[in-house]
Amino acid sequence: MHSHQPRLGLLVIVSGPSGTGKTTLCRQVCDGVRAVFSVSCTTRAPRPGEVDGRDYFFLSEDDFLARVDRGELFEHARVHGRWYGTLKSHVFDNLRRGVDVFMDIDVQGAAQVRACQDELVRRCLTDIFVMPPGIGELRARLLGRATDSAEVVELRLRNAEAELRHWREYRYNLVSGERPRDEARFKAILEAERMRSSLVACGGDAW
Ligand code: 5GP
């Protein structure tokens, strides 16, 4: 058997309430060569230190909705009162080229991607829900981030409770705790998922 069978990229959806460290987990495994983080579009304002094109593409509401009309978005949803969405151009070519794509998106966006009938998406998709260890812990982490106002933190906590009801829709559940342990578990999931037979590209039939 070939040791380097050509394979499709893995499409990894990672969801979970804000403050569970899911963005950090995704970013850490994305080297930009074999794995890329899908930079989303949003209509929310940048937080201090966030860079346009690296953290998000920060768009006006008009620009965002025009892109939706032109069919440029793979999925999109309103989260915490703002629009968020993934550009198709960040997904399909990468998967065909064998590059893994990580999408840090909410439960509504995840449902849209799961409902997608595209053969490539169906073969490549996997999903992980990152759970906070408890709501008290989540509140502490969100407050500790100190980039959001008290009202925003409260809104995010309320939304977190609604979001948490969806954990069963995901193949994997990662209860976050200590950072090194979370990373190790996240990587273990990816290592197994990368061996899925559905990822073996056409023409990779070595037998
Ligand atoms: P934040 O404003 O904290 O960066 O993100 C808020 C929420 O929006 C997070 O749960 C994040 O996963 C979600 N989100 C970020 N980008 C997208 C996207 O492109 N699509 C959807 N559906 N949700 C997103």
Side-chain angles (χ1 to χ4, degrees):
M1 195 158 131
H2 275 257
S3 54
H4 295 293
Q5 279 180 321
R7 74 158 177 91
L8 300 169
L10 202 54
L11 179 59
V12 188
I13 295 183
V14 182
S15 301
S18 324
T20 49
K22 69 195 150 99
T23 312
T24 312
L25 285 174
C26 290
R27 294 259 183 198
Q28 266 165 356
V29 295
C30 291
D31 59 5
V33 181
R34 283 165 312 168
V36 294
F37 183 83
S38 161
V39 178
S40 296
C41 300
T42 185
T43 61
R44 83 149 161 79
R47 295 195 185 111
E50 281 185 333
V51 176
D52 188 42
R54 185 194 70 187
D55 297 289
Y56 280 103
F57 296 105
F58 295 99
L59 305 180
S60 68
E61 187 126 342
D62 284 350
D63 189 1
F64 187 98
L65 294 174
R67 284 168 190 267
V68 173
D69 283 345
R70 291 199 296 267
E72 291 177 19
L73 295 185
F74 180 35
E75 61 72 38
H76 67 284
R78 206 152 168 94
V79 188
H80 312 312
R82 304 285 173 191
W83 288 112
Y84 291 81
T86 307
L87 290 167
K88 283 182 187 165
S89 58
H90 286 207
V91 177
F92 292 88
D93 284 350
N94 281 320
L95 297 179
R96 277 188 213 102
R97 291 191 296 119
V99 176
D100 299 332
V101 179
F102 287 77
M103 294 172 64
D104 168 359
I105 63 173
D106 87 314
V107 295
Q108 307 169 76
Q112 288 172 36
V113 177
R114 267 188 227 109
C116 175
Q117 294 301 311
D118 184 279
E119 172 68 15
L120 182 65
V121 171
R122 299 190 76 83
R123 284 175 64 177
C124 301
L125 184 63
T126 192
D127 48 8
I128 306 171
F129 193 89
V130 184
M131 305 275 280
I135 210 83
E137 174 75 20
L138 188 63
R139 179 188 297 269
R141 287 191 198 178
L142 284 176
L143 288 170
R145 189 151 76 180
T147 47
D148 295 321
S149 66
E151 294 111 87
V152 169
V153 169
E154 285 310 318
L155 174 67
R156 281 168 183 262
L157 277 171
R158 275 201 305 281
N159 291 346
E161 290 181 76
E163 226 173 16
L164 283 168
R165 289 190 208 111
H166 293 268
W167 64 271
R168 247 188 216 291
E169 293 159 19
Y170 291 71
R171 182 184 292 237
Y172 296 99
N173 255 259
L174 197 159
V175 179
S176 73
E178 296 297 315
R179 183 57 56 78
R181 197 199 66 160
D182 292 356
E183 275 172 34
R185 291 185 168 190
F186 192 69
K187 286 184 182 155
I189 292 170
L190 298 176
E191 196 173 343
E193 284 290 306
R194 286 184 173 121
M195 290 184 268
R196 259 164 53 183
S197 55
S198 66
L199 292 182
V200 178
C202 298
D205 183 4
W207 291 99

